[in-house]
Amino acid sequence: MQAFFQYKGLSGQIYMLSLCRALVSMGLMFMFPYLTFLLTEIQGLSATTASLIISFCSVGSIVGNFIGGHFSDKVGRKTTYLFAAALVTLTMLASAALCYSRFFILILLIFYVANSIIMPNISAMILDNSEEDNETTCYSLMYLAGNLGCAIGPMIGGLLFYNHLRILFLFMAVAFLFALIIVAATVSEAPHISAGIKTHPENSNRKSTISIIRSKKGLLFFLILLSILTLCYINLDFALPILLNDLFGLNVGSKINSIVWTVNGLTIIVITPFVTTIMNRFSSRINSTIAAFLYFVGFGLYAFVGHPVLFLLIVPIWTVGEIMLSTSSAILISDSCPVTHKGRAMALYELARNAGKLIGPLFAGLLLLIVSAKTVWLIIAAACLAVCLMLYRMKEL
């Protein structure tokens, strides 16, 4: 129980922001798992066209990350968040009216950009309201809340998608609107720009993100390594279902795949407080190194096992790695940037992750042209091991 008490006594704004993250994640997951069905079955697009639209939306997410990080530092976290959350709410209201029209595709792109503005701002506000000795705990609470939202969202979305699509989008609008109201009413704008320049005059807010990356080669290297680990992780969505289909057939394989994600979600909810307690003993770099090693073990085992139960027993291994990497990597990137650039630091974190998500399925798809699905997981595991060794040999950023 001591693991759960670590979340006691945090800033009230941390709790409100974590609730906000839960609502945002829940709102997003009302639709995200069913987006392919929406584009193909409702909109009548081909699978190829739908994949191109989703890839284009991913590019929009990267653009949103840059916009969100820039205005977070220049204008303010809260102001930028409120604007983006209002835009998302309006897009969902528009989707409720136009979800059966081709105009929905344009609205979808706007949604992806606006939602990606939201994410780095929530993370930056969490870090603004945390202390140096409880950054990991605060970020862990936000991560846990986000995953609770991710667990609830698809259940509600599945009940509404086929017969009540317009109501589904109205539910999304309500979720984002509540998150907007919570931040507007309970979260104060951190005086990060003026305080940062006054305390650290050498870190002027005029200093570009590119110049910071150029002056910190270790930061750029870590962003690349984070993209590679995300590339490996995202293939749980792409390469793992293919492997399960090869081994067990579509009927059994699809069921195992759904249970994999159920086990993943339950593991995150139950074990995150305990993992966070352990993480507090080590630096963010060491935690990221351990996460990469757990990815290596978990993903590598998928190349050798052949029984459905074993596929499920492996899930907690890489899930612990997921918890450690999601929490420690964001803090490591943030701590390596000036106080005036925390929003842009979180945008870099989201950018590295989105780059990995964009490239990952393409990488595995090309490999599947020349090797088996099991061999793909050996290559993925080897990439994780290489990242682990490089992180181990790295100096602190």
Side-chain angles (χ1 to χ4, degrees):
M1 290 298 295
Q2 188 62 36
F4 291 92
F5 286 127
Q6 68 183 306
Y7 298 122
K8 184 179 179 181
L10 300 177
S11 164
Q13 297 191 73
I14 294 293
Y15 298 127
M16 291 297 101
L17 287 165
S18 296
L19 176 59
C20 171
R21 180 57 184 267
L23 287 169
V24 167
S25 297
M26 182 175 67
L28 177 65
M29 293 303 287
F30 280 155
M31 176 190 68
F32 183 76
Y34 311 101
L35 181 57
T36 300
F37 294 127
L38 197 159
L39 292 173
T40 55
E41 301 300 323
I42 304 298
Q43 290 288 325
L45 303 174
S46 67
T48 302
T49 303
S51 67
L52 288 174
I53 290 173
I54 293 173
S55 295
F56 196 59
C57 287
S58 297
V59 174
S61 294
I62 293 174
V63 173
N65 291 153
F66 275 115
I67 294 173
H70 177 80
F71 283 99
S72 174
D73 291 326
K74 295 289 187 180
V75 179
R77 328 275 201 228
K78 181 176 178 179
T79 303
T80 305
Y81 168 83
L82 293 177
F83 171 79
L87 183 57
V88 168
T89 303
L90 291 174
T91 60
M92 291 302 95
L93 291 174
S95 296
L98 300 171
C99 55
Y100 294 99
S101 164
R102 289 295 169 89
F103 284 110
F104 169 76
I105 297 171
L106 176 60
I107 297 171
L108 182 67
L109 176 60
I110 297 172
F111 167 81
Y112 264 78
V113 174
N115 187 67
S116 295
I117 294 174
I118 285 176
M119 291 306 183
N121 276 276
I122 296 178
S123 298
M125 285 189 285
I126 286 283
L127 294 174
D128 284 339
N129 288 280
S130 64
E131 304 293 337
E132 186 175 350
D133 60 348
N134 68 4
E135 276 185 330
T136 299
T137 302
C138 292
Y139 208 88
S140 164
L141 180 61
M142 183 194 71
Y143 174 75
L144 179 58
N147 276 279
L148 283 170
C150 287
I152 296 171
M155 292 188 293
I156 299 175
L159 294 174
L160 297 173
F161 178 76
Y162 288 103
N163 297 315
H164 306 285
L165 186 58
R166 295 186 193 278
I167 296 176
L168 173 62
F169 283 110
L170 290 176
F171 268 55
M172 290 182 68
V174 169
F176 281 97
L177 180 60
F178 277 160
L180 184 155
I181 292 171
I182 288 170
V183 172
T186 66
V187 178
S188 302
E189 184 72 85
H192 59 284
I193 297 177
S194 58
I197 295 175
K198 183 177 180 180
T199 307
H200 305 280
E202 74 280 6
N203 293 331
S204 170
N205 206 23
R206 298 175 183 175
K207 193 173 185 180
S208 71
T209 307
I210 299 298
S211 65
I212 291 174
I213 293 176
R214 289 179 62 183
S215 65
K216 290 179 175 286
K217 296 297 191 297
L219 174 59
L220 176 60
F221 188 53
F222 180 76
L223 290 170
I224 294 172
L225 295 183
L226 177 59
S227 294
I228 294 172
L229 289 176
T230 306
L231 176 154
C232 296
Y233 178 88
I234 203 64
N235 271 294
L236 292 165
D237 283 333
F238 180 76
L240 184 59
I242 292 174
L243 174 59
L244 293 172
N245 181 54
D246 287 348
L247 292 175
F248 308 111
L250 180 59
N251 183 33
V252 176
S254 62
K255 292 176 181 176
I256 297 172
N257 189 61
S258 65
I259 298 173
V260 162
W261 290 110
T262 300
V263 174
N264 169 254
L266 291 174
T267 302
I268 288 173
I269 293 170
V270 172
I271 208 171
T272 293
F274 301 98
V275 174
T276 303
T277 300
I278 297 172
M279 290 176 62
N280 284 325
R281 302 174 185 174
F282 304 102
S283 70
S284 295
R285 182 184 64 84
I286 294 298
N287 287 326
S288 297
T289 305
I290 297 171
F293 180 76
L294 292 173
Y295 276 10
F296 158 66
V297 175
F299 298 159
L301 287 173
Y302 280 141
F304 299 100
V305 299
H307 194 280
V309 174
L310 294 178
F311 275 90
L312 302 180
L313 292 177
I314 292 169
V315 173
I317 298 174
W318 54 259
T319 298
V320 173
E322 175 190 352
I323 295 168
M324 298 185 74
L325 185 67
S326 297
T327 303
S328 60
S329 58
I331 294 173
L332 185 60
I333 293 169
S334 174
D335 288 347
S336 68
C337 293
V339 69
T340 52
H341 289 65
K342 295 299 183 184
R344 279 164 283 188
M346 290 299 94
L348 288 173
Y349 167 73
E350 296 289 348
L351 173 64
R353 284 162 44 88
N354 282 326
K357 292 175 183 178
L358 184 63
I359 299 170
L362 176 62
F363 171 75
L366 292 174
L367 286 178
L368 286 168
L369 294 175
I370 54 176
V371 299
S372 68
K374 284 200 169 189
T375 304
V376 167
W377 282 103
L378 275 178
I379 295 172
I380 288 173
C384 293
L385 179 60
V387 171
C388 174
L389 294 174
M390 285 185 277
L391 285 171
Y392 180 75
R393 294 177 63 86
M394 271 183 67
K395 298 178 180 179
E396 297 292 342
L397 300 188

